[in-house]
RNA sequence: GCCGCUUUAGCUCAGUUGGUAGAGCAAAGGACUGAAAAUCCUUGUGUCCCUGGUUCAAUUCCUGGAGGCGGCA
């Protein structure tokens, strides 16, 4: 009894020193079953930080398969509903906000569980960003204009002059990355490749990283079922509300699967609901595949089949006990 | 029943003036330096519907057949 109290004190002390010391990552592709697991966590011990680039947006509930109210009421969630769908979220903002949440959760003597499907956010939360300048809307627009008035090839050749390493790393068709690399050069006068990426975890993190998976057929079935459930839950009403609020295709939130398909359908007017559903399922499958590819490149991942709930909970319990 | 068009990769279709064929989509794999549910890369052997004929050589031309689409009865 006495011993366990001492241990407890010691643990709290340590946590106060470094709130990042104990932190759980729970990731996996869309529809693998993350939310279900979160609802099984002990809310006295854990709080959740959302790492999903679409679920941060207000009003995008059903199509983004956001955690439902009964779950968020049961266990505390951070980084849900923090932006309007026309606002731009970024990795940098994610790290900033997630860091704050980690500290706050730690103050309550709980362990943060970062959960979601945006691998890019996880990667940079773990390692941190380079010192390259943040994206700047004006410079980005300048680069955009350059590409539109000249050509992507032209921009790519500029990159060759100013940053040969990035030029070789980036494919000639990858407008996204060519733009960013030029943007960094114009903003700082230095090549993007001169800013090194950190290669170690930040803040002395010693995280428990859990990767959830399911096989292809299972995923396919779940995605089909999920669309039907979304329809039952009122996806069309949600789309109608967005339309009423004048939602634009270009809005960051509208890039989400489950939303962008409706814009495609509305533009041509030639799709039935079931065809839109097929598109959503199909795009989700492709996305899930990209997520797996990215997550597979992570180190220290405990890959577990998402249906093995007991095993997963046990893994987490053992992790918070040890020390 | 007659006439016309059509049958090529899982799907939609190119193409070969006769030398066994290629795009898009799908599928599989991969990348990922401040937009990441984004962006991008790699991978194509398939009885070229069947049968017979002409030919050194037929998926390509010709005969016959089968399926599909359209028109006329």
């Amino acid at each position: 009894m006495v011993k366990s109290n001492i241990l407890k004190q010691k643990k709290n002390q340590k946590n106060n020193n470094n709130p990042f010391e104990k932190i759980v990552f729970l990731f996996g592709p869309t529809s693998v079953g993350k939310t279900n697991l979160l609802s099984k966590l002990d809310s006295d011990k854990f709080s959740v930080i959302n790492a999903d680039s679409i679920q941060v947006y207000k009003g995008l509930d059903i199509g983004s398969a956001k955690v439902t109210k009964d779950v968020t009421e049961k266990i505390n969630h951070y980084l849900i509903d923090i932006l309007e769908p026309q606002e731009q979220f970024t990795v940098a903002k994610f790290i900033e906000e997630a860091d704050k949440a980690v500290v706050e959760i730690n103050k309550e003597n709980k362990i943060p569980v970062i959960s979601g499907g945006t691998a890019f956010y996880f990667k940079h939360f773990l390692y941190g960003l380079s010192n390259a300048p943040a994206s700047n809307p004006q410079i980005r627009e300048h680069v955009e204009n350059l590409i539109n008035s000249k050509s992507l090839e032209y921009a790519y050749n500029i990159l060759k002059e100013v940053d040969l390493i990035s030029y070789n790393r980036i494919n000639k068709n990858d407008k996204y990355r060519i733009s960013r690399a030029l943007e960094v050069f114009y903003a700082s006068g230095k090549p993007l490749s001169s800013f090194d990426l950190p290669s170690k975890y930040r803040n002395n993190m010693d995280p428990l990283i859990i990767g959830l998976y399911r096989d292809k057929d299972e995923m396919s079935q779940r995605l089909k079922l999920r669309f039907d459930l979304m329809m039952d839950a009122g996806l069309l009403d949600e789309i109608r509300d967005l339309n009423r609020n004048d939602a634009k295709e270009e809005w960051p939130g509208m890039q989400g699967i489950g939303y962008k398909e409706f814009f495609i359908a509305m533009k041509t007017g030639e799709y039935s609901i079931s065809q839109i559903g097929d598109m959503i399922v199909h795009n989700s499958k492709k996305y899930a595949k990209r997520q797996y590819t990215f997550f597979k490149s992570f180190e220290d991942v405990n890959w577990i089949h998402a249906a093995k709930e007991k095993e997963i909970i046990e893994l987490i319990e053992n992790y918070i006990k040890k020390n």
Side-chain angles (χ1 to χ4, degrees):
Chain A
M1 212 40 185
V2 174
K3 201 178 167 190
S4 84
N5 273 338
I6 292 168
L7 274 175
K8 222 176 183 176
Q9 270 182 351
K10 208 174 163 190
K11 195 187 109 192
N12 287 345
Q13 243 176 1
K14 262 203 150 173
N15 274 345
N16 288 335
N17 287 342
N18 180 11
F20 291 85
E21 187 178 324
K22 281 222 178 285
I23 187 159
V24 177
F25 293 77
L26 186 70
F27 58 56
T30 182
S31 90
V32 80
K34 297 181 288 285
T35 308
N36 172 56
L37 273 164
L38 296 177
S39 70
K40 307 259 156 88
L41 289 175
D42 183 345
S43 59
D44 291 331
K45 295 181 189 161
F46 304 98
S47 285
V48 178
I49 301 173
N50 165 249
D52 182 300
S53 63
I54 300 295
Q55 295 188 12
V56 295
Y57 291 113
K58 292 174 196 166
L60 308 186
D61 301 336
I62 298 166
S64 75
K66 195 181 283 174
V67 272
T68 48
K69 262 210 178 126
D70 52 302
V71 178
T72 54
E73 274 165 12
K74 184 181 168 289
I75 182 162
N76 217 351
H77 275 68
Y78 292 78
L79 300 198
I80 294 268
D81 293 338
I82 56 168
L83 286 180
E84 298 297 332
Q86 61 269 39
E87 296 179 295
Q88 183 66 255
F89 196 54
T90 64
V91 224
K93 199 154 191 169
F94 171 75
I95 295 171
E96 196 186 319
E97 296 299 320
D99 281 358
K100 277 190 220 161
V102 166
V103 172
E104 223 170 289
I105 291 165
N106 186 256
K107 275 185 195 156
E108 295 172 351
N109 283 320
K110 292 185 192 176
I111 306 282
V113 177
I114 304 190
S115 176
T118 304
F120 192 59
Y121 292 179
F122 279 100
K123 184 182 174 182
H124 287 105
F125 185 85
L126 279 162
Y127 292 94
L129 296 162
S130 77
N131 292 320
S135 76
N136 172 320
Q138 281 180 338
I139 297 176
R140 178 158 293 180
E141 205 187 321
H142 171 76
V143 173
E144 181 81 6
N145 289 339
L146 182 82
I147 292 171
N148 290 338
S149 62
K150 304 279 186 177
S151 67
L152 185 60
E153 198 189 351
Y154 181 84
Y156 192 52
N157 281 325
I158 295 175
L159 188 61
K160 189 180 186 177
E161 298 301 317
V162 303
D163 184 355
L164 190 61
I165 296 173
S166 294
Y167 171 84
N168 286 325
R169 264 204 289 250
I170 299 169
N171 184 272
K172 64 179 182 349
N173 299 318
D174 198 342
K175 185 176 165 186
Y176 222 73
R177 292 192 171 78
I178 293 170
S179 301
R180 169 66 186 155
L182 282 178
E183 175 189 291
V184 168
F185 180 76
Y186 290 139
S188 67
K190 285 193 245 171
L192 173 66
S193 58
S194 70
F195 298 96
D196 286 334
L197 261 189
S199 58
K200 274 193 276 181
Y201 293 161
R202 301 150 70 217
N203 300 335
N204 292 316
M205 264 188 245
D206 181 23
L208 171 66
I209 305 180
I210 298 173
L212 302 178
Y213 72 89
R214 298 186 110 105
D215 67 43
K216 277 231 155 102
D217 290 343
E218 257 184 305
M219 291 290 292
S220 181
Q221 279 180 352
R222 294 183 128 247
L223 284 165
K224 273 181 213 158
L225 180 69
R226 191 171 76 168
F227 176 72
D228 293 339
L229 294 175
M230 283 177 182
M231 290 301 289
D232 292 346
L235 181 59
L236 294 181
D237 292 332
E238 186 168 283
I239 300 293
R240 229 166 272 144
D241 287 344
L242 287 165
N243 274 328
R244 212 170 289 140
N245 290 325
D246 233 4
K248 300 277 184 301
E249 197 180 356
E250 312 82 60
W251 287 6
M254 295 302 120
Q255 289 182 25
I257 297 162
Y259 300 100
K260 64 178 173 191
E261 290 81 4
F262 283 94
F263 283 95
I264 294 168
M266 281 185 266
K267 250 193 278 182
T268 63
E270 283 172 5
Y271 292 90
S272 65
I273 295 298
S274 86
Q275 282 172 314
I276 293 171
D278 290 346
M279 264 162 77
I280 290 174
V281 169
H282 178 233
N283 286 335
S284 300
K285 279 190 209 170
K286 290 203 292 190
Y287 174 48
K289 186 173 179 162
R290 270 177 275 134
Q291 288 176 297
Y292 272 129
T293 304
F294 206 153
F295 283 130
K296 272 192 279 183
S297 71
F298 282 45
E299 288 169 32
D300 310 321
V301 181
N302 299 274
W303 285 102
I304 308 181
H305 192 283
K308 292 184 177 167
E309 288 176 17
K310 268 190 189 162
E311 222 174 285
I312 295 163
I313 300 290
E314 218 177 272
L315 195 66
I316 297 173
E317 291 288 342
N318 286 338
Y319 167 76
I320 63 168
K321 266 186 227 151
K322 87 172 179 195
N323 194 352

